[in-house]
Amino acid sequence: TSKDFVVDKTAALSQANKELKEDIKNLLSDKNNKIEVVMKILKDSSSAEINRYYWYIGVIATNGETLGILIDTNTGDIIAKKV
């Protein structure tokens, strides 16, 4: 379960918020724009390591813009970021 990860969901959301804060502010600068936040656990099946998982946090805006971040569940490292 996600409780077994070194970086739990609360820490991952906090890190994503810190990394994407300005970009989210920009999305919300248009008062008509709304956002939805999606959080998933992704398994890296291509990795030789058996338990290689990542937190994916995506932000989808009603105007079609998207943000995303991929965080390693063991180290907290940011693997990828799309702004």
Side-chain angles (χ1 to χ4, degrees):
T1 68
S2 64
K3 293 177 186 176
D4 298 328
F5 297 146
V6 174
V7 180
D8 67 8
K9 66 181 176 184
T10 303
L13 279 172
S14 177
Q15 186 174 1
N17 182 52
K18 186 174 85 175
E19 288 290 324
L20 299 173
K21 190 173 197 160
E22 289 303 314
D23 301 299
I24 292 170
K25 271 181 161 178
N26 290 339
L27 285 178
L28 294 175
S29 65
D30 175 357
K31 300 295 181 198
N32 294 319
N33 209 11
K34 306 283 189 262
I35 63 169
E36 179 177 342
V37 177
V38 177
M39 184 174 201
K40 297 180 180 185
I41 298 169
L42 302 179
K43 184 175 195 276
D44 184 355
S45 58
S46 68
S47 175
E49 295 181 46
I50 295 172
N51 295 320
R52 191 66 176 203
Y53 294 93
Y54 304 99
W55 288 110
Y56 167 75
I57 296 112
V59 179
I60 302 106
T62 53
N63 70 358
E65 290 185 62
T66 60
L67 308 171
I69 194 164
L70 200 61
I71 301 171
D72 189 298
T73 60
N74 291 318
T75 64
D77 292 341
I78 295 171
I79 305 303
K81 180 177 169 182
K82 185 228 180 249
V83 291

